Amino acid sequence: MYHSRWKGSHYQAGFQYGSMLSKNNINPFKNFMLKEELLKFTQKCIPLYQAFYPEILEEIQGIAEGLKVEQKIVAVFLCSIYCFLLENRCSCFAFCKDNQIILAKNSDFLTSVEKVCDSPYYHLNSGYSFIGNTTAWSEIEDGINEHGLAAALTFIYPTKIAEGFNAGMLVRYLLEKCQTTSQAIQALQKLPIASAQTITLADKNGDIAIVECNCDKVVVRKPKNGFLFTTNHFISPEMIIYQYQGEDDCYSHQRYQTMLSAFENHILSLSFAMDLLSGKKGFLCQYDRKKGMDTIWSAIYDLTANKIYRVEGNPSRKRFKEDMRFHF
């Protein structure tokens, strides 16, 4: 797993990253097919990013120029994730109990990309500093910012998409622009949304929430007993009509039942979070790697102690380590 650092303006940070890839003869677009459908979709998304988040377009331009590829290739790749590229699976939970606030996530993805995943540290000239994790770049799948706002996505197969921000760009925007869960929810209610996802939120005030959303609706779930959890299907009655009706090929419902049982029967703590992510409370990360999928990282954001823990790999086989790069 890479540990990149992004600094300066958005353009400068992107250019530095693209140049680093070029210098090391890495072309992440080597096998990427620039399909007409994706290009047309991206062209409709660009004006929305220009209106709500122009800095990300500057970063994309910088990456393209540093890597010496066409800007549209980078833009199409980043705009089509979660809308047309459908391989992400995750389990996520948050709790505020006994003066401890934690957000935690398992990122389940293709084993073929686990070595090129990144844990970037963004400290740009504008926006809040944050640290996170991603299977790509620029888009963020879970992270925490300098104000102690943590956010994490879980992918849901989209039955309907529209031009707008996809799940990874939504999380990136929230970490860069918002200080609290309340602000993040307000942002999600105003931003144009492209894909289907849940976004789990937690802040240092102990305000936790799961937002289930797509291009039509934004539904906010709040905890009744101090905890919330989610996998790769909708729970809210308002969102069930958008649920993909195909095979649950990523054990989403089984992972959900594991967390349901765990939260009903255990004392919530940091060690509980580590044990749950590691599969010690039931099935959550015990994939058959021979089928090409596994938990490729686990992250825990302890908002009470201002600490970040991560496993770079499957937590049933590797230990959590504290990430010391970030200062709140």
Side-chain angles (χ1 to χ4, degrees), residues 14-76:
F15 184 84
Q16 181 181 29
Y17 186 80
S19 299
M20 180 271 295
L21 293 177
S22 179
K23 182 178 180 181
N24 289 284
N25 296 315
I26 299 173
N27 182 3
F29 306 103
K30 183 178 181 180
N31 299 314
F32 179 62
M33 298 293 291
L34 189 61
K35 298 179 180 179
E36 187 66 22
E37 180 185 19
L38 275 61
L39 180 58
K40 290 181 178 179
F41 177 79
T42 299
Q43 290 171 338
K44 293 178 180 179
C45 290
I46 294 299
L48 297 172
Y49 283 108
Q50 188 66 55
F52 290 94
Y53 196 14
E55 307 97 311
I56 200 67
L57 299 179
E58 296 170 8
E59 185 170 302
I60 289 172
Q61 179 184 354
I63 293 171
E65 293 183 8
L67 191 55
K68 300 180 179 64
V69 300
E70 291 184 87
Q71 182 176 349
K72 66 180 180 182
I73 295 176
V74 184
V76 168

Side-chain angles (χ1 to χ4, degrees), residues 88-143:
N88 309 69
R89 296 85 156 85
C90 303
S91 302
C92 191
F93 59 85
F95 60 80
C96 177
K97 201 79 170 179
D98 299 326
N99 298 317
Q100 186 157 40
I101 310 162
I102 280 180
L103 184 149
K105 174 185 171 177
N106 272 356
S107 180
D108 307 335
F109 198 55
L110 302 176
T111 56
S112 58
V113 304
E114 60 186 349
K115 292 183 179 180
V116 298
C117 292
D118 192 9
S119 179
Y121 178 12
Y122 275 84
H123 186 64
L124 303 178
N125 294 343
S126 62
Y128 302 132
S129 298
F130 64 90
I131 198 166
N133 301 296
T134 178
T135 53
W137 57 89
S138 296
E139 65 95 21
I140 300 294
E141 292 155 35
D142 60 80

Side-chain angles (χ1 to χ4, degrees), residues 81-316:
I81 292 177
Y82 305 104
C83 297
F84 297 92
L85 308 178
L86 311 175
E87 296 293 347
N88 309 69
R89 296 85 156 85
C90 303
S91 302
C92 191
F93 59 85
F95 60 80
C96 177
K97 201 79 170 179
D98 299 326
N99 298 317
Q100 186 157 40
I101 310 162
I102 280 180
L103 184 149
K105 174 185 171 177
N106 272 356
S107 180
D108 307 335
F109 198 55
L110 302 176
T111 56
S112 58
V113 304
E114 60 186 349
K115 292 183 179 180
V116 298
C117 292
D118 192 9
S119 179
Y121 178 12
Y122 275 84
H123 186 64
L124 303 178
N125 294 343
S126 62
Y128 302 132
S129 298
F130 64 90
I131 198 166
N133 301 296
T134 178
T135 53
W137 57 89
S138 296
E139 65 95 21
I140 300 294
E141 292 155 35
D142 60 80
I144 191 167
N145 70 17
E146 62 182 283
H147 292 286
L149 173 67
L153 67 85
T154 72
F155 167 79
I156 293 180
Y157 283 112
T159 59
K160 185 176 182 181
I161 63 172
E163 303 82 38
F165 287 38
N166 61 53
M169 288 299 195
L170 289 171
V171 171
R172 165 71 188 272
Y173 181 95
L174 300 180
L175 293 175
E176 193 167 327
K177 303 288 188 180
C178 302
Q179 296 184 20
T180 65
T181 295
S182 177
Q183 289 180 6
I185 291 171
Q186 292 173 22
L188 290 170
Q189 291 170 335
K190 75 172 184 179
L191 290 170
I193 296 175
S195 53
Q197 56 277 310
T198 77
I199 297 180
T200 304
L201 300 163
D203 66 21
K204 292 185 71 64
N205 299 317
D207 188 5
I208 64 175
I210 289 178
V211 181
E212 299 187 359
C213 56
N214 67 356
C215 57
D216 280 353
K217 291 184 180 179
V218 175
V219 177
V220 180
R221 291 168 49 199
K222 286 284 193 170
K224 295 181 179 179
N225 299 304
F227 58 83
L228 289 168
F229 49 88
T230 184
T231 51
N232 301 106
H233 60 278
F234 288 129
I235 297 299
S236 301
E238 303 97 314
M239 299 301 294
I240 294 298
I241 59 172
Y242 300 105
Q243 184 61 51
Y244 172 71
Q245 297 302 316
E247 178 187 0
D248 180 6
D249 59 354
C250 61
Y251 310 100
S252 179
H253 290 81
Q254 185 176 351
R255 288 183 280 117
Y256 188 89
Q257 288 300 316
T258 293
M259 291 195 285
L260 177 62
S261 175
F263 275 98
E264 287 179 344
N265 297 299
H266 294 89
I267 297 174
L268 305 185
S269 64
L270 175 62
S271 60
F272 163 82
M274 291 181 174
D275 287 348
L276 179 54
L277 292 178
S278 301
K280 295 179 181 179
K281 307 296 184 184
F283 180 86
L284 209 69
C285 64
Q286 297 92 320
Y287 295 101
D288 182 357
R289 284 182 60 86
K290 295 178 182 178
K291 296 182 179 180
M293 192 177 81
D294 201 359
T295 297
I296 56 177
W297 78 70
S298 291
I300 296 177
Y301 303 98
D302 186 338
L303 282 68
T304 307
N306 290 338
K307 292 183 181 294
I308 301 168
Y309 302 93
R310 185 174 56 255
V311 173
E312 298 182 4
N314 191 303
S316 69

